Amino acid sequence: MPERYLVSFDTDRIKEYVFATEKLREIRGASRLLDSLNDEGEMQRFMASVGPNYESIFWGGGSGAVLAPSWEAAERLIEEVETLYRTETVTASISGACMPINVESDNFGEKMKAAGFRLRRAKDEKAARLLPGGEAFTQPCASCQRYPAMTVDTDDNAALCASCARKREKEKSRKREGKESRSFDDLNELGERSRPSGYIGFIQCDGNNMGDLLTSLPKSDSYKDLAKGLRTLIEESTSKLPTESHEVLLAGGDDLILVTTADIALDAAICIAQRIENQSPALLDRVGLSGSKCTVAVSVVLAHATFPIAAFRSLADQLLKNAKRKCAEEGYRTSVIDFMVVTSAGSSDIATMRDEVLTEKSFVFPHGERKIRLTKRPYVLPKLKSLIDYARRCKDIPQSHLQFLYEGLFHSQAEAIYRWGKVAGRVNDNNRKVMDEFYRDFGDGIGGLPPWQSNRDEVPEGVDAVTALGDLIEIYRFV
Ligand SMILES: [Zn+2]
């Protein structure tokens, strides 16, 4: 029986490693360090130096899978790869796990999934061993504030820990080699290019069901093909975005994190999702999964460039969960995007905000037991495209009118209706047409009470009325 050993690898807490710091240069360096460590060619060479007859299935996005000729060879490779990560990054680590496999059987995808469970266990055991100690040190690293500073960088006299120094060195060496095309060195510089000035977009994107698609594949060849194809699909989903307006901070497995100028953030999210939806059928067809496509959940946080990265990440994670939930409700047939505009320091918990602030509880004049929602987020892809289109067409409407409408939403249901009528009576024919059409597409249309939508098919269970008007007015400065 042609028995081999399947070794799978996964970087531990990859996001914690990359986002250990608030500084763009070190985030960029960390991401590029992982890219080099995950480079297929580099890893082939490295494996050849460990021993003969390793066959790589894939490397990339912080994980990898390899067929080893024997149990001993598998264990040796795990040890060597773990050491390589420690040496190159100081603080990033990778775990490996192996299991025997009959390469001629028809359940390769299932085997990979089982290997994933073993890997999970290996990682948990390691995490228990590596609980942080309480060492005292004199000066913390200026970049991550976590580890003791070991060296001083000559660029800006920053005292850096060994890990951040590596990240910084990687970033510098890429610049020296002319491989770093971005001209900005921190998020404020990105914010300065933005409209409105000072704001940036933080985007997180996560593929739906990509693991299940892989698991369904019987042969290692098609698995290899799809794993690489999906990675390329996600990495290249940003290739059409203007270089000077965005930067990918992490492309790992089926997720992607990037920052953009605020004015392209929502379009970028749509562009990424659309590209993945459009290009995945051909890829899936090639491995025998015809008739399906990949969809994604995306979150977009728009906030000032000085907003902490950790806070961006926390909000983006919460929004992504909303989008994922909606993706599941939609049977994964379409991508879903959730977004928010951070205007004050108060918005740190999305669920609380949507349940408390963006409901009838905000009304200055509450009336009765009616349940109201002041947002229709998250949106399926075509609906968000349409909303953005309306936001652009709204630009002719005087800002004071939009502000008047927006504040009306938080007053009472009746006041919002009154204000809609008042503004509709004041604007020119063209703008009134935009309002009518918006209410036709995002409300109840003729016979309804704008801006409210009560049509049962469109309103969530237990809610009496919703409106998308607040969403429209929130994004119109950013499109
Ligand atoms: Zn550090």
Side-chain angles (χ1 to χ4, degrees):
M1 189 174 74
E3 189 160 84
R4 313 265 294 273
Y5 291 83
L6 174 62
V7 193
S8 56
F9 289 99
D10 193 50
T11 309
D12 305 316
R13 297 182 302 276
I14 187 165
K15 288 178 189 156
E16 277 68 13
Y17 170 69
V18 172
F19 297 105
T21 164
E22 291 282 320
K23 306 281 192 291
L24 181 62
R25 291 182 69 186
E26 278 78 70
I27 291 174
R28 180 185 283 161
S31 195
R32 302 298 173 261
L33 261 172
L34 289 178
D35 287 347
S36 317
L37 282 170
N38 279 274
D39 182 77
E40 189 90 41
E42 295 275 337
M43 286 314 288
Q44 297 277 18
R45 276 190 290 283
F46 180 75
M47 288 193 296
S49 76
V50 176
N53 301 325
Y54 290 114
E55 183 195 334
S56 97
I57 305 285
F58 73 93
W59 283 101
S63 54
V66 175
L67 290 172
S70 67
W71 185 266
E72 293 72 31
E75 293 213 303
R76 190 161 63 243
L77 185 65
I78 293 175
E79 217 178 288
E80 294 292 336
V81 170
E82 288 185 351
T83 309
L84 174 72
Y85 266 63
R86 278 280 166 205
T87 318
E88 292 293 316
T89 68
V90 186
T91 53
S93 65
I94 189 164
S95 299
C98 73
M99 63 189 291
I101 181 173
N102 178 346
V103 283
E104 283 180 0
S105 67
D106 282 335
N107 58 353
F108 188 80
E110 294 286 344
K111 283 283 180 190
M112 278 297 295
K113 191 177 180 182
F117 286 129
R118 283 199 187 197
L119 191 53
R120 188 68 258 157
R121 205 167 58 219
K123 285 163 95 76
D124 288 346
E125 284 166 13
K126 187 190 267 177
R129 285 202 309 275
L130 293 178
L131 284 176
E135 286 169 60
F137 44 81
T138 45
Q139 189 183 10
C141 168
S143 181
C144 70
Q145 320 281 343
R146 286 183 195 194
Y147 303 107
M150 310 283 273
T151 56
V152 173
D153 188 87
T154 46
D155 272 11
D156 53 1
N157 289 326
L160 300 176
C161 71
S163 174
C164 290
R166 288 264 174 182
K167 294 173 180 177
R168 178 74 73 91
E169 185 44 47
K170 181 72 182 177
E171 195 254 0
K172 282 191 196 174
S173 74
R174 282 182 55 89
K175 266 192 192 146
R176 277 197 301 273
E177 293 159 17
K179 287 182 188 158
E180 201 57 75
S181 50
R182 300 298 188 289
S183 60
F184 47 90
D185 270 342
D186 67 49
L187 296 176
N188 291 320
E189 289 178 47
L190 188 61
E192 280 163 21
R193 290 170 200 193
S194 218
R195 188 179 38 79
S197 178
Y199 281 81
I200 60 167
F202 186 96
I203 303 175
Q204 194 168 347
C205 168
D206 189 51
N208 287 324
N209 282 353
M210 288 183 177
D212 291 343
L213 289 170
L214 285 165
T215 302
S216 72
L217 293 174
K219 293 290 186 191
S220 65
D221 283 351
S222 47
Y223 192 100
K224 206 186 243 186
D225 212 15
L226 184 60
K228 280 183 187 159
L230 287 175
R231 204 175 69 234
T232 312
L233 190 65
I234 288 182
E235 282 170 8
E236 289 181 355
S237 65
T238 56
S239 63
K240 290 272 190 282
L241 304 179
T243 310
E244 289 297 301
S245 304
H246 84 284
E247 175 156 0
V248 174
L249 303 181
L250 181 68
D254 50 13
D255 62 5
L256 179 71
I257 296 177
L258 63 151
V259 283
T260 67
T261 54
D263 45 289
I264 71 155
L266 288 163
D267 280 330
I270 286 175
C271 171
I272 289 166
Q274 192 70 68
R275 226 176 126 91
I276 290 172
E277 285 196 12
N278 290 349
Q279 299 193 342
S280 54
L283 170 65
L284 294 170
D285 196 49
R286 212 167 63 212
V287 296
L289 297 169
S290 45
S292 27
K293 70 171 175 183
C294 295
T295 57
V296 291
V298 190
S299 58
V300 181
V301 181
L302 291 155
H304 203 270
T306 53
F307 196 59
I309 291 265
F312 268 118
R313 283 188 56 213
S314 159
L315 291 175
D317 273 344
Q318 296 175 55
L319 292 169
L320 197 65
K321 286 198 185 90
N322 289 345
K324 280 257 155 199
R325 207 175 304 126
K326 175 107 173 166
C327 282
E329 284 165 22
E330 298 286 330
Y332 301 108
R333 282 182 299 272
T334 172
S335 299
V336 173
I337 299 174
D338 201 354
F339 62 87
M340 78 175 289
V341 177
V342 179
T343 45
S344 70
S347 23
S348 64
D349 184 77
I350 310 263
T352 309
M353 207 176 67
R354 299 240 167 124
D355 293 341
E356 305 285 332
V357 184
L358 294 178
T359 64
E360 75 285 349
K361 291 175 192 163
S362 277
F363 285 163
V364 182
F365 296 101
H367 40 105
E369 291 294 296
R370 291 176 63 77
K371 295 276 175 245
I372 310 294
R373 283 196 92 81
L374 300 175
T375 178
K376 288 190 75 178
R377 288 169 274 176
Y379 286 92
V380 295
L381 189 56
K383 233 20 196 174
L384 182 62
K385 276 192 213 165
S386 170
L387 187 74
I388 290 173
D389 196 38
Y390 278 113
R392 292 208 167 99
R393 292 172 66 194
C394 270
K395 290 197 172 228
D396 276 350
I397 301 178
Q399 202 177 337
S400 57
H401 285 350
L402 294 174
Q403 190 60 30
F404 181 69
L405 286 173
Y406 189 74
E407 284 164 11
L409 293 175
F410 295 89
H411 201 278
S412 68
Q413 231 189 321
E415 179 69 16
I417 296 167
Y418 164 74
R419 291 190 181 199
W420 178 281
K422 195 163 176 183
V423 169
R426 277 189 191 169
V427 295
N428 64 30
D429 289 350
N430 197 24
N431 288 335
R432 191 161 39 250
K433 190 162 166 258
V434 174
M435 289 176 73
D436 287 346
E437 287 179 13
F438 172 70
Y439 188 63
R440 182 197 66 203
D441 288 349
F442 287 85
D444 289 337
I446 293 166
L449 291 170
W452 304 105
Q453 182 173 35
S454 315
N455 186 333
R456 286 265 50 97
D457 298 340
E458 294 276 346
V459 178
E461 195 67 34
V463 173
D464 296 295
V466 296
T467 178
L469 180 62
D471 297 340
L472 179 82
I473 297 174
E474 276 190 32
I475 63 169
Y476 104 103
R477 289 193 301 146
F478 298 97
V479 296

